[in-house]
């Protein structure tokens, strides 16, 4: 499992659609996106553009912290790199 799987957890997808209007993103358009693009969008909308205060968002941050990562780091690429390296161990 990687950061993209954590970010595309169904509760976070549902939360995304509460904050992004259908006029800007339809369900069909979202589900046509690849996993990484979906994760990028969720990261931007729920973690960068807003304070990650929902239980699902806090769960992602807690997971990062428990893995020894800095949950305040805003660089999703750095998290992806860490998860790729961890998957090779």
């Amino acid at each position: 499992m990687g950061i993209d799987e954590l970010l595309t957890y169904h509760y976070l997808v549902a939360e995304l659609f509460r904050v992004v209007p259908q006029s800007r993103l339809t369900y069909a358009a979202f589900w046509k996106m690849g996993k990484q693009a979906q994760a990028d969008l969720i990261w931007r909308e729920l973690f960068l553009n807003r304070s990650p205060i929902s239980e699902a968002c806090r769960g992602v941050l807690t997971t990062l912290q428990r893995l020894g990562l800095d949950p305040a780091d805003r660089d999703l690429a750095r998290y992806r790199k860490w998860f790729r390296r961890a998957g090779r161990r």
Side-chain angles (χ1 to χ4, degrees):
M1 177 181 263
I3 187 71
D4 293 340
E5 285 75 19
L6 287 173
L7 292 172
T8 56
Y9 181 56
H10 67 278
Y11 283 120
L12 292 171
V13 172
E15 187 175 341
L16 173 72
F17 283 108
R18 284 195 300 274
V19 299
V20 176
Q22 281 279 320
S23 60
R24 202 170 119 219
L25 177 69
T26 65
Y27 293 114
F30 177 81
W31 292 114
K32 285 182 184 177
M33 298 167 79
K35 174 87 62 181
Q36 185 170 333
Q38 291 173 347
D40 287 340
L41 179 62
I42 291 169
W43 180 252
R44 184 175 61 249
E45 293 296 333
L46 301 182
F47 292 83
L48 300 180
N49 293 349
R50 290 168 184 76
S51 294
I53 58 172
S54 72
E55 185 175 343
C57 286
R58 287 192 321 264
V60 170
L61 298 178
T62 298
T63 299
L64 294 174
Q65 183 180 32
R66 297 259 172 108
L67 291 171
L69 300 168
D70 180 3
D73 189 349
R74 300 171 67 82
D75 187 353
L76 186 53
R78 202 172 353 251
Y79 292 137
R80 285 185 176 125
K81 183 178 178 182
W82 186 92
F83 275 90
R84 275 193 305 275
R85 282 194 321 249
R88 291 187 206 134
R89 295 180 195 162

